[in-house]
Amino acid sequence: MGLLFQQVTSDDDFNELIECEWTSYETPYNGFKEIYCPTLGTGPNAREESMNECRERQLADHKADATSHWFKVVDSNSGQIVGGAQWNIYHENPYVNGVGHIEATWWPEGEGRKFASMGMDQWFAPRGKRMNKPHILLALCFVHPAHRRRGAGSLLLKWGTQKADELDLDTFIEAARPGIPLYLTHGFKEVEEYWIDPKIEDPSEEWKQLKEKIPPIPWMFMWRPKQGRFEEGKTYVIIHVAMTRAASAIPQCKFPSHSEPRVWLLSSGTSPIAIALSRQLLAHGDFVVFGTKSSHASDTLDCRAAEFTIFWTEEVLIKEEWKNRARIVGLDGRNMSQCRAAVAETVALFQRLDVLFCCSSQAIVGSVEELGSSSRTSGLIRDQFETNYFGQVNIIKAALPSMRESLTGHIILLSGITGHLGTPGLGMYCASQWAMEGFCDSLAYEVAPFNVKMTIVQPNLEINILTNEITVAPQLPQYAPENNAAPLFREIIGGLLDRVNVTSTEKGSSNGHAELGNYSSDSIVSVYPQLPEQTKSPLLAETVNALAAIGGHDNPPARHIVGHEAVASVKEKLKTVSEELEDFVEVSCAVDFNNVMDGITRTTDDQEQGY
């Protein structure tokens, strides 16, 4: 099932295109949709009538604007439009005379129009300062929630970036938060975060209702320089602004009520998620034990040692109230003896273990066939399960006796939506996640009588993939993009890693060197992405807040999904499973095992009675 990228040339396309746009901006909810394409009225036809108005308006605007170019992505099997984008090409500065006021005439006269007009002005205002030059703008980009993670978004992005390089122009995006990871993979940089938040003095009740319906809307101004070349010395200032604003926008964690500080053991203390979480835990007054592959901060063995060492020496040790509540223990989950020793040392230091956070992860990228093509690649499969499954199982098994004896404890597994969804090119990674989740679901029933809780936390795919080691297997020619329409994860991750700092190592190369972007070579390449702080902090923030709120809770959820996009993806998967179940329910129930067993029982009874 492939995807076709096409330019919109027919007015008829706008019928399906705008319906796809509405569905996309409703899942997850995008507040700007309610300003630019509001559902007005309350009757049964309100949504359809409002959509028709929006469709006619966007079509008219497109026809009247020579800079406007609309594109669609079509599912080749169904013929359905599954995504769309509007690109604007400005060969001259469009804001020579400023931006001007935008009147939201699609709203009726009154408070609603005033509210929407103010929101539009807040949205367009930065253009006069940021886009006052010839450029290309991605005005709109959307993908139907049922077809995300298939590569539609990349197809829509690729046209604009290639056109920008052809014309030697800067490219800009006004990005909603869920789209930022995709835009980063195509070379865009976060510049500054803005908010659409209309305010007036002495607001009326109607205005207050609008504020409740449309809360403040954050969006990120993103920029791709000419030819995608980022010059550190020239752009540091604006990137630094973005980092400062992003950090200040991260909400404070809310912790569950508890009578005394909790004791946490983090299975991979050097991981970015562990460092971000521990800052919140230590500030809150909890005790934190960091499991690392060495028991000394300066000797950690993985490529994130420098980041952890800076955190340990420049944050933990200089804060008197932190350093007495933090310890490092040697812990490699693949070694059962080290797991037992780490738990024993934690209990000896702080008298108990309240929360075990299992966050060890690595990702093997490659199709199932590629990973079975040689003994070298087959070994990667074992490595995947040693880290993501057996290593996690070992530390959990080591912690259970202590928790069981104390009749309290909470085990948290950091999994991902890959525990629900298969992803092409991540088959073995998904398999390790599914195996671990099955283990934890079973374990939860077994330890419940001892008051030991089990929670699986599933953030977006990017958390575990982009903050841990990634190993890429050599590509078979049959799975190259020109030969295989499946949206393999190799292309998605490759686009990002080519644009961020990485620490790479080569495994088993026959040519003596490994180029990071050369994933089709015969080399096995392992990388640690080093995301910019302004990207990493917001990426981790939602998950850190969820972990802080759940850890040690008296009644924690068995499974917690983090983020709008993750929730929407899982909902769509469950909907598909439910629909397929209903489609074949008669086949499923054609042979009722209970009825068969009843018949066997009756026959046996009849024989015993001589009938």
Side-chain angles (χ1 to χ4, degrees):
M1 183 167 61
L3 298 175
L4 303 175
F5 174 79
Q6 301 170 347
Q7 185 158 8
V8 175
T9 56
S10 168
D11 293 0
D12 293 339
D13 278 340
F14 271 79
N15 294 326
E16 189 178 353
L17 195 63
I18 302 307
E19 185 173 349
C20 177
E21 177 189 35
W22 275 49
T23 303
S24 301
Y25 288 150
E26 289 169 345
T27 311
Y29 170 79
N30 185 328
F32 181 72
K33 181 258 174 196
E34 291 301 324
I35 290 179
Y36 185 58
C37 295
T39 300
L40 300 174
T42 57
N45 299 322
R47 185 179 185 275
E48 184 177 353
E49 291 170 356
S50 298
M51 192 188 303
N52 287 336
E53 183 281 328
C54 182
R55 179 186 299 114
E56 293 172 4
R57 174 161 44 91
Q58 288 188 262
L59 177 57
D61 289 346
H62 168 61
K63 287 184 170 183
D65 185 356
T67 73
S68 175
H69 304 266
W70 271 91
F71 297 90
K72 62 183 178 179
V73 174
V74 178
D75 184 285
S76 59
N77 267 15
S78 65
Q80 175 189 357
I81 293 178
V82 301
Q86 181 188 20
W87 285 94
N88 291 88
I89 301 177
Y90 298 102
H91 295 282
E92 298 178 353
N93 176 12
Y95 302 114
V96 173
N97 299 317
V99 174
H101 171 67
I102 299 172
E103 186 71 14
T105 55
W106 51 92
W107 279 77
E109 292 267 5
E111 291 282 73
R113 178 180 292 190
K114 183 178 178 182
F115 183 94
S117 298
M118 189 177 295
M120 293 295 295
D121 286 342
Q122 290 177 344
W123 178 32
F124 272 71
R127 292 187 179 187
K129 178 178 68 171
R130 299 289 190 186
M131 303 185 196
N132 54 356
K133 63 176 75 175
H135 67 273
I136 293 183
L137 169 68
L138 179 60
L140 294 167
C141 184
F142 49 87
V143 176
H144 193 287
H147 295 273
R148 287 171 184 159
R149 299 189 182 281
R150 293 182 56 200
S154 289
L155 290 175
L156 295 166
L157 266 290
K158 192 175 294 184
W159 182 90
T161 55
Q162 289 177 347
K163 179 61 70 172
D165 290 346
E166 176 188 326
L167 299 174
D168 197 32
L169 294 176
D170 293 273
T171 318
F172 300 110
I173 298 177
E174 296 151 328
R177 282 178 175 174
I180 292 175
L182 171 66
Y183 304 142
L184 289 169
T185 67
H186 288 265
F188 286 86
K189 302 291 183 182
E190 294 171 297
V191 176
E192 189 164 5
E193 187 173 57
Y194 293 92
W195 292 78
I196 298 174
D197 186 15
K199 295 179 181 178
I200 58 173
E201 293 185 11
D202 301 321
S204 65
E205 284 302 315
E206 183 180 353
W207 190 281
K208 291 177 181 177
Q209 290 173 5
L210 286 166
K211 288 285 288 183
E212 186 173 340
K213 181 181 179 182
I214 309 174
I217 306 164
W219 62 272
M220 179 64 70
F221 183 88
M222 302 188 73
W223 164 56
R224 182 180 181 270
K226 294 178 181 180
Q227 306 299 325
R229 297 193 190 103
F230 173 74
E231 299 181 54
E232 183 72 31
K234 296 182 180 180
T235 54
Y236 171 79
V237 174
I238 59 172
I239 296 300
H240 179 72
V241 170
M243 177 166 51
T244 304
R245 291 180 65 90
S248 65
I250 297 173
Q252 291 296 312
C253 291
K254 296 181 179 179
F255 293 85
S257 58
H258 50 91
S259 57
E260 57 183 345
R262 286 85 48 84
V263 178
W264 292 66
L265 172 59
L266 314 182
S267 70
S268 180
T270 60
S271 64
I273 189 71
I275 293 173
L277 175 62
S278 64
R279 285 191 179 103
Q280 301 292 335
L281 299 178
L282 290 169
H284 181 63
D286 286 348
F287 297 91
V288 180
V289 179
F290 297 85
T292 73
K293 291 182 180 179
S294 168
S295 57
H296 301 283
S298 59
D299 297 332
T300 49
L301 302 180
D302 65 38
C303 296
R304 295 169 300 192
E307 181 182 0
F308 180 76
T309 300
I310 292 171
F311 163 70
W312 184 260
T313 57
E314 297 184 9
E315 294 187 53
V316 176
L317 295 185
I318 66 172
K319 296 181 180 179
E320 198 67 34
E321 66 276 18
W322 283 23
K323 69 178 183 180
N324 293 327
R325 290 185 279 105
R327 294 290 186 276
I328 298 173
V329 298
L331 176 55
D332 184 341
R334 297 168 296 183
N335 185 319
M336 190 65 199
S337 297
Q338 282 196 25
C339 292
R340 293 194 184 100
V343 171
E345 190 170 348
T346 299
V347 175
L349 285 168
F350 301 121
Q351 288 70 58
R352 65 186 187 280
L353 171 57
D354 296 314
V355 185
L356 171 64
F357 178 43
C358 300
C359 54
S360 302
S361 180
Q362 71 175 82
I364 305 298
V365 179
S367 69
V368 171
E369 188 176 0
E370 287 167 345
L371 289 170
S373 62
S374 69
S375 59
R376 291 187 301 127
T377 55
S378 295
L380 295 178
I381 300 174
R382 182 69 189 185
D383 292 343
Q384 179 77 98
F385 277 82
E386 284 288 353
T387 298
N388 291 15
Y389 180 73
F390 292 108
Q392 309 269 51
V393 168
N394 284 344
I395 188 62
I396 290 173
K397 289 194 299 185
L400 283 177
S402 173
M403 290 182 171
R404 175 171 45 77
E405 289 173 12
S406 62
L407 293 178
T408 186
H410 190 187
I411 301 168
I412 303 177
L413 169 72
L414 186 69
S415 177
I417 58 171
T418 42
H420 274 288
L421 312 171
T423 302
L426 281 179
M428 293 307 162
Y429 177 80
C430 293
S432 68
Q433 296 287 329
W434 285 52
M436 196 63 215
E437 293 208 7
F439 169 85
C440 290
D441 280 344
S442 301
L443 176 68
Y445 291 105
E446 298 171 1
V447 299
F450 307 114
N451 194 36
V452 176
K453 311 297 195 306
M454 179 77 233
T455 296
I456 297 171
V457 174
Q458 296 179 323
N460 281 330
L461 179 67
E462 290 84 1
I463 295 295
N464 267 345
I465 299 291
L466 296 185
T467 61
N468 290 295
E469 184 182 28
I470 303 169
T471 297
V472 184
Q475 185 178 67
L476 293 176
Q478 294 85 349
Y479 291 90
E482 60 269 21
N483 300 325
N484 192 314
L488 296 179
F489 192 74
R490 177 194 311 273
E491 280 68 54
I492 300 172
I493 197 66
L496 173 65
L497 297 184
D498 287 342
R499 293 174 171 86
V500 301
N501 292 327
V502 295
T503 302
S504 64
T505 58
E506 181 186 4
K507 300 180 180 179
S509 171
S510 62
N511 59 13
H513 71 282
E515 295 181 10
L516 183 60
N518 189 15
Y519 297 129
S520 60
S521 73
D522 61 354
S523 302
I524 296 173
V525 181
S526 292
V527 299
Y528 274 97
Q530 297 175 351
L531 301 180
E533 190 63 32
Q534 72 271 16
T535 301
K536 183 169 59 178
S537 294
L539 182 67
L540 297 174
E542 280 186 321
T543 303
V544 168
N545 276 267
L547 292 167
I550 290 169
H553 198 286
D554 290 338
N555 187 29
R559 183 175 266 96
H560 181 78
I561 300 168
V562 182
H564 291 293
E565 185 181 352
V567 169
S569 299
V570 172
K571 278 185 175 180
E572 193 62 38
K573 172 63 181 292
L574 296 176
K575 178 184 175 184
T576 301
V577 171
S578 178
E579 289 173 350
E580 290 180 348
L581 179 64
E582 291 301 321
D583 289 344
F584 292 91
V585 68
E586 291 184 3
V587 178
S588 300
C589 299
V591 179
D592 192 319
F593 184 73
N594 289 332
N595 290 339
V596 172
M597 291 304 296
D598 288 345
I600 294 172
T601 303
R602 286 195 298 272
T603 302
T604 304
D605 291 344
D606 291 345
Q607 289 173 349
E608 290 178 353
Q609 295 179 30
Y611 296 117

